């Protein structure tokens, strides 16, 4: 596949999405499927996070069946067994805004780590791993298949908070907080890594008014998307007094489609794993000009063009969902 990304003719990159669907995870998956010119989705590895790992595994299959992409392999991952009550509140009892998507058949439980290792080898040197849940699977991959470190081109992580408060504790964001040890291992892996933290994702509040653009859709897919977002709007208002939704995960996918939407800088970043009050904190060394500043080990998106991202997201999703209209 050939794509025009930022004016350059390039090949669509092979991507594995490591995810805990989750409403914003579902939107991230839709954006990936809506962008075949830039993204060749070669696999999904699920992880426990927003809801338990059985639920996230089944939800990934539900979404692929809804969008006619059952051919994309799905891994059954590590991570939390038990449900995360707060996340149920934001993502619904089914993790997908109580949209009640059907699941047909008994999906085969390919271990996520084995699937990721197989795809890393098959796409050695080109595979981009987009991780939008806790990093339990990714750390396990790097431990159990160390050769994958030389095969993965880049990891893009939605997680952390670098110059602002977290969303689980004042210092920690959910994906990092759920498994700080794994995050610390992944950040220290030496694989090129772009961190997309709350500092960037909270620049794009999806207002309810933008959903009107999708009102003309009559397909089950269009109806699903509207119900998904309406649930998230309601949950965000009740839990956070917001007029709209912060859709964190699709911004990590957008980094592969329109990198110019993010303001990034190289930085040394570590994850606190022991602090009584700071466990899960992503601590970055922004001491510009200081001789004490540590050598950068990752790139971090310190800002984002929120409106530009929302324009891209709505444009891609409307075109994608229109394909399902009669
Ligand atoms: O903090 C936001 C992250 O936590 C997103 O990935 C969301 O899906 C939840 O997993
Ligand atoms: Ca997620």
């Amino acid at each position: 596949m050939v794509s025009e990304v930022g004016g350059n003719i390039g090949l669509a990159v092979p991507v594995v999405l490591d995810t805990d669907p989750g409403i914003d995870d579902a939107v991230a998956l839709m954006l990936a499927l809506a962008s075949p010119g830039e993204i060749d989705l070669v696999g999904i590895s699920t992880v426990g996070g927003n809801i338990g790992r059985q639920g996230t595994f089944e939800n990934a299959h539900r979404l692929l069946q809804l969008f006619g992409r059952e051919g994309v392999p799905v891994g059954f991952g590590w991570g939390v067994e038990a449900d995360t009550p707060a996340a149920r509140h934001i993502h619904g009892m089914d993790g997908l805004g109580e949209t009640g998507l059907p699941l047909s058949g008994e999906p085969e439980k390919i271990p996520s780590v084995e699937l990721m290792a197989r795809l890393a080898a098959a796409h050695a040197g080109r595979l981009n791993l987009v991780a939008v849940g806790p990093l339990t699977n990714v750390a396990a991959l790097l431990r159990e298949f160390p050769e994958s470190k030389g095969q993965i081109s880049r990891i893009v992580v939605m997680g952390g908070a670098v110059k602002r408060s977290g969303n689980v504790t004042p210092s920690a964001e959910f994906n990092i907080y759920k498994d700080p040890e794994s995050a610390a291992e992944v950040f220290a892996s030496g694989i090129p890594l772009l961190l997309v933290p709350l500092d960037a994702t909270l620049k794009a509040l999806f207002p309810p008014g933008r959903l009107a653009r999708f009102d003309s859709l009559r397909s089950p897919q269009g109806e699903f998307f509207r119900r998904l977002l309406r649930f998230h709007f309601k949950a965000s208002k009740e839990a956070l007094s917001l007029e709209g939704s912060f859709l964190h995960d699709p911004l990590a996918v957008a980094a592969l489609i329109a990198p110019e939407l993010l303001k990034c800088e190289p930085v040394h970043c570590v994850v606190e794993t022991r602090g009584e009050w700071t466990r899960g904190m992503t601590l970055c060394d922004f001491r510009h000009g200081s001789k004490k500043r540590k050598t950068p080990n990752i790139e971090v998106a310190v800002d984002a063009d929120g409106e530009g991202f929302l324009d891209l997201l709505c444009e891609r999703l409307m075109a994608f969902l229109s394909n399902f209209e009669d």
Side-chain angles (χ1 to χ4, degrees):
M1 252 174 266
V2 178
S3 79
E4 207 160 294
V5 179
N8 306 314
I9 296 283
L11 280 174
V13 294
V15 170
V16 167
L17 182 65
D18 189 68
T19 179
D20 60 332
I23 288 179
D24 60 328
D25 301 71
V27 179
L29 172 56
M30 290 173 67
L31 180 59
L33 295 176
S35 308
E38 295 88 358
I39 293 174
D40 176 13
L41 186 69
V42 296
I44 293 175
S45 47
T46 58
V47 63
N50 285 320
I51 64 173
R53 61 190 184 134
Q54 179 67 28
T56 58
F57 172 70
E58 290 178 2
N59 281 349
H61 278 285
R62 287 190 172 90
L63 291 165
L64 290 174
Q65 289 175 10
L66 175 69
F67 295 115
R69 295 296 303 275
E70 297 89 334
V72 176
V74 179
F76 176 74
W78 295 111
V80 290
E81 293 283 357
D83 295 334
T84 312
R88 285 278 189 197
H89 184 62
I90 290 282
H91 297 273
M93 293 309 290
D94 63 356
L96 290 177
E98 285 157 25
T99 47
L101 279 191
L103 173 66
S104 63
E106 283 263 325
E108 180 197 354
K109 286 188 174 177
I110 312 163
S112 279
V113 172
E114 284 176 29
L115 177 63
M116 295 161 97
R118 194 184 335 142
L119 292 169
H123 301 278
R126 298 189 64 235
L127 188 73
N128 279 238
L129 190 47
V130 179
V132 294
L135 292 170
T136 314
N137 287 338
V138 180
L141 169 71
L142 302 182
R143 274 197 307 273
E144 295 170 31
F145 297 89
E147 66 276 18
S148 64
K149 287 186 185 178
Q151 295 164 341
I152 296 169
S153 170
R154 182 170 70 151
I155 304 175
V156 181
V157 173
M158 189 281 132
V162 296
K163 293 183 178 180
R164 51 150 300 119
S165 298
N167 58 3
V168 178
T169 71
S171 55
E173 176 277 332
F174 180 85
N175 288 339
I176 308 298
Y177 181 78
K178 292 303 282 184
D179 190 347
E181 286 78 10
S182 290
E185 284 180 45
V186 173
F187 284 24
S189 69
I191 299 172
L193 188 146
L194 170 62
L195 182 67
V196 182
L198 295 179
D199 308 72
T201 65
L202 293 179
K203 295 292 173 62
L205 181 71
F206 192 115
R210 276 195 181 253
L211 196 57
R213 179 172 181 178
F214 299 85
D215 282 349
S216 61
L217 299 174
R218 288 290 165 270
S219 67
Q221 292 80 2
E223 176 60 20
F224 163 77
F225 179 66
R226 285 195 298 271
R227 289 181 62 200
L228 193 75
L229 283 217
R230 285 193 189 120
F231 183 95
H232 207 254
F233 292 154
K234 184 170 176 290
S236 301
K237 186 161 178 70
E238 287 168 4
L240 303 165
S241 303
L242 289 175
E243 290 299 334
S245 282
F246 285 117
L247 299 171
H248 306 280
D249 293 341
L251 187 60
V253 172
L256 277 67
I257 299 165
E260 67 278 6
L261 292 173
L262 296 176
K263 181 184 174 201
C264 302
E265 67 174 273
V267 72
H268 184 273
C269 186
V270 292
V271 179
E272 177 58 71
T273 57
R274 290 196 294 270
E276 181 182 356
W277 303 106
T278 55
R279 177 171 163 79
M281 183 179 192
T282 43
L283 182 64
C284 295
D285 188 344
F286 289 111
R287 293 177 293 178
H288 299 106
S290 165
K291 289 190 174 55
K292 295 180 183 172
R293 190 178 185 206
K294 290 178 179 288
T295 306
N297 59 339
I298 68 166
E299 256 208 313
V300 63
V302 292
D303 202 351
D305 169 5
E307 284 306 301
F309 162 63
L310 293 175
D311 290 344
L312 171 76
L313 181 66
C314 290
E315 190 181 310
R316 290 287 172 108
L317 293 187
M318 188 61 191
F320 174 64
L321 291 169
S322 299
N323 293 327
F324 297 94
E325 297 295 295
D326 290 336

